[in-house]
Amino acid sequence: MALSTTIDYYDDQYVISGRADGIDTATDIPLIEEIKTSDVLFAELPVGTLNLYWLKPKFTPTCT
């Protein structure tokens, strides 16, 4: 899931964005289990990097 927020800090505005691999919504307060970030725009990531990103969830055990 893509996540993004904008924060004003002093006279500057910062955009913080990333991709969450796991969000637990079992309670009233969602728990974000992992966030991926990158200095490169997601659309500009090389295929090899994208393959590594998508490979991790395939081998990560599911928590119950």
Side-chain angles (χ1 to χ4, degrees), residues 12-50:
D12 294 315
Q13 198 173 60
Y14 297 87
V15 176
I16 301 170
S17 61
R19 181 177 60 84
D21 281 349
I23 300 177
D24 182 353
T25 58
T27 64
D28 291 339
I29 301 172
L31 171 67
I32 299 173
E33 297 173 347
E34 184 177 353
I35 298 176
K36 302 275 191 211
T37 59
S38 175
D39 289 334
V40 180
L41 292 174
F42 189 78
E44 296 174 1
L45 288 171
V47 172
T49 301
L50 289 173

Side-chain angles (χ1 to χ4, degrees), residues 19 21-22 34 36 47-63:
R19 181 177 60 84
D21 281 349
E34 184 177 353
K36 302 275 191 211
V47 172
T49 301
L50 289 173
N51 288 339
L52 291 174
Y53 275 2
W54 300 122
L55 184 64
K56 184 175 180 182
K58 292 179 184 178
F59 292 101
T60 303
T62 305
C63 297

